[in-house]
Amino acid sequence: MALWGSRRRREAEDEALIRSLYNEHGRALIAYATRLTGDRAAAEDVVQETLIRAWRNPDALVNSKGSVRGWLLTVARNIVIDRVRALQARPAEVAPAAGTEPTQDDHADSVVNSMVVMEALESLSEDHRAVLMEVYFRRRSVAEAAEALGVPPGTVKSRSHHALQALRRRFGRRTPRGKG
């Protein structure tokens, strides 16, 4: 059980690190990457990759001789350079024939929705958020979530109910009468 707690603590620390990096340096990174790429969507991909590299190398952030922002901007620049070089190394892409539909749907809406949901989850208490994470994101049954959280199943049901009510209020949706 100690290993499980240690892993959860590490995951929480990792999430806090990335969240704080994005909150403090996200705008500067996006502006810089947009200037380098000339494309906002490509810049967002560069920022995401930069944050992934920061997550994989937390020691570089703590032990670097320069500033954290400088390290992040350097990583972003290197990612852009690598992408340009990769495009130059492969043959030119052929434009799709007229009338053909893209093979993959645009996922921008789902990214925005995910960000909105994550922000809404942050507004919940730790207990309510933990229950929703177990039941909906980890797809555990009430009994499994209760065991993972160390609380009775009834508490999981109650917290889940109240957490969903809080989210509904946040998004301005009323619960129909007679419905949970």
Side-chain angles (χ1 to χ4, degrees), residues 5-43:
S6 173
R7 184 179 299 166
R8 289 171 90 185
R9 185 171 40 257
R10 176 68 179 166
E11 288 174 358
E13 290 170 358
D14 289 348
E15 182 178 333
L17 169 69
I18 297 305
R19 189 173 311 284
S20 68
L21 285 175
Y22 184 78
N23 288 339
E24 189 171 343
H25 305 288
R27 285 185 184 199
L29 279 169
I30 288 176
Y32 182 64
T34 301
R35 194 170 70 236
L36 291 176
T37 62
D39 179 9
R40 172 71 183 217

Side-chain angles (χ1 to χ4, degrees), residues 111-170:
V111 170
V112 170
N113 289 340
S114 295
M115 292 172 67
V116 169
V117 169
M118 292 307 290
E119 182 180 318
L121 286 173
E122 288 177 23
S123 71
L124 299 174
S125 71
E126 179 62 36
D127 291 338
H128 288 159
R129 184 172 45 249
V131 165
L132 291 183
M133 293 299 288
E134 293 298 323
V135 173
Y136 290 97
F137 290 96
R138 293 189 178 103
R139 295 190 171 151
R140 292 189 172 159
S141 68
V142 170
E144 292 169 335
E147 184 178 332
L149 296 171
V151 297
T155 301
V156 170
K157 290 179 184 178
S158 174
R159 287 179 183 171
S160 175
H161 170 77
H162 290 292
L164 292 173
Q165 289 294 86
L167 291 176
R168 285 183 184 112
R169 282 192 303 273
R170 179 176 175 93

